[in-house]
Amino acid sequence: MIRAVAPLRAWVSHVRTRDETVALVPTMGALHKGHLALVRLARRRADRVVVSIFVNPTQFGPTEDFSSYPRTWDGDIAALSQLSVDAIWAPNIATMYPDGFATRIVPGGPAVAGLEDKFRPHFFGGVCTVVEKLLLQVAPDFATFGEKDYQQLKVVTAMARDLDIPAKIIGLPTVREKDGLAMSSRNAYLSADERKIAPTLYLVLQECAAQLKAGQSLAQTLGEGEAEIERSGFSVDYLEARHAETLAKIATLADGPVRLLVAAKLGRTRLIDNIAV
Ligand code: AMP
C-alpha cells in the first residue's frame, strides 16, 4: 500500500530498472467483478500492476453522492490480494489536492457530446484532472478503463492522445450480473425491489439494437425504448444512439458504427449503460 507520491515514484523507478512494464487500473474502490476483470486485463498486458483507489471529490457535483459513495476498504484490499496486484496506490485527498491546488483539465470533443456532461457538468473535468494526475504519478505503459463508462473511456483516450501521454489506454467490455445488469459500485444503493427492475436498462438496449438492425427508424426505436424504461419505474436522463468513436449525433444506422447509451434514475440511484449496435 502506497500513500504518498515520493514512495510511489521510487517503486516505479525500481521496477523500471528491471525493464518491466507497468499497467495502472484507476478505481474509486467499492470493487466488484468489473474492476477485478480490469485488473486481470492489466495483468495480461504488463509485468506489474498498480491499482489506484481514490474517491475523487472533483468529479462529483455539489448535490451528488460523494459523501455517501460506497467505501469498502477491507474487502477491496482482500480482493486485490487474491489477484497478486503489485502495488495499491491509495492517496488521500490532501495528497491529491493539497492546499492551493488550482489547476483543472477542461476536456472537449467527446466530453461535450451532450450525454453525461449534460447531466453532470462537473464530471469530465474532474475525471480528466484526476486521471491525468494518476498517469503522471505512476507513468504506466498501459491504463485500463471499462466500457461501462463509455463516454469516459472516449474522453480519457482523447485526453491521452491530445496531451501526448505515453500510456496506452485499453478498454474492457462491460462485466454484467447474470440478469444483464452492468456491475457498478452504485448498484449497492438499490433496494430489493429496485434491483429487480434495474436489468430493464440492458434489456431495452438489446431490444433497441435488434429493432434498429431490423430497419426500424432511430426516432421510433428510441422513443419506444425510453417509454418502456419509464414504464418500468426509471426516470430517463437520456437514451441515445451515437457514433461509437466520436459520440457525434447520427441520423441513421448507416452513419455508424453506432453505440446506444442510456442513463436513468431509479429512486435515488442513477445508472448508466451502453451497447454496440
Ligand atoms: P469506478 O470505480 O466506478 O470509477 O470504476 C473504475 C473503472 O472500472 C472504470 O474504468 C470503470 O469504467 C470500470 N468499470 C466499472 N464497472 C465496470 C463494469 N461493470 N465492467 C467493466 N468495467 C467497469
Side-chain angles (χ1 to χ4, degrees), residues 3-5 54 57 91-101 133 137:
R3 292 207 171 266
V5 175
F54 180 65
N92 62 25
I93 291 180
T95 299
M96 289 300 264
Y97 300 112
D99 277 350
F101 186 93
K133 282 177 69 75
Q137 290 161 342

Side-chain angles (χ1 to χ4, degrees), residues 214-231:
Q216 187 170 282
S217 76
L218 273 179
Q220 186 185 347
T221 303
L222 298 175
E224 287 173 4
E226 182 166 336
E228 189 181 341
I229 295 170
E230 292 267 350
R231 268 199 306 279

Side-chain angles (χ1 to χ4, degrees), residues 48-161:
R48 299 284 172 178
V49 175
V50 182
V51 175
S52 63
I53 299 179
F54 180 65
V55 184
N56 174 38
T58 66
Q59 70 191 63
F60 289 80
T63 61
E64 292 182 357
D65 56 344
F66 173 68
S67 54
S68 59
Y69 193 83
R71 288 161 172 90
T72 58
W73 182 256
D74 292 343
D76 292 352
I77 304 307
L80 293 176
S81 67
Q82 299 287 312
L83 294 180
S84 57
V85 161
D86 296 287
I88 298 172
W89 170 221
N92 62 25
I93 291 180
T95 299
M96 289 300 264
Y97 300 112
D99 277 350
F101 186 93
T103 302
R104 190 170 168 94
I105 303 258
V106 183
V112 294
L115 296 164
E116 282 302 285
D117 49 297
K118 196 162 141 195
F119 296 88
R120 305 186 70 193
H122 294 78
F123 183 64
F124 289 118
V127 166
C128 283
T129 303
V130 79
V131 170
E132 164 72 340
K133 282 177 69 75
L134 292 167
L135 291 171
L136 286 170
Q137 290 161 342
V138 178
D141 302 276
F142 306 96
T144 57
F145 290 84
E147 285 184 356
K148 151 81 181 3
D149 301 276
Y150 192 79
Q151 189 179 6
Q152 172 176 282
L153 171 62
K154 296 297 165 194
V155 168
V156 169
T157 302
M159 176 180 75
R161 180 199 63 210

Side-chain angles (χ1 to χ4, degrees), residues 25-35 37-38 54 59 69 123 144-150 152-153 172-177 181-186:
V25 183
T27 82
M28 298 207 299
L31 301 182
H32 51 66
K33 286 182 188 152
H35 296 115
L38 283 173
F54 180 65
Q59 70 191 63
Y69 193 83
F123 183 64
T144 57
F145 290 84
E147 285 184 356
K148 151 81 181 3
D149 301 276
Y150 192 79
Q152 172 176 282
L153 171 62
L172 175 83
T174 302
V175 177
R176 298 180 180 281
E177 303 285 358
L181 174 65
M183 290 196 182
S184 165
S185 305
R186 288 192 170 96

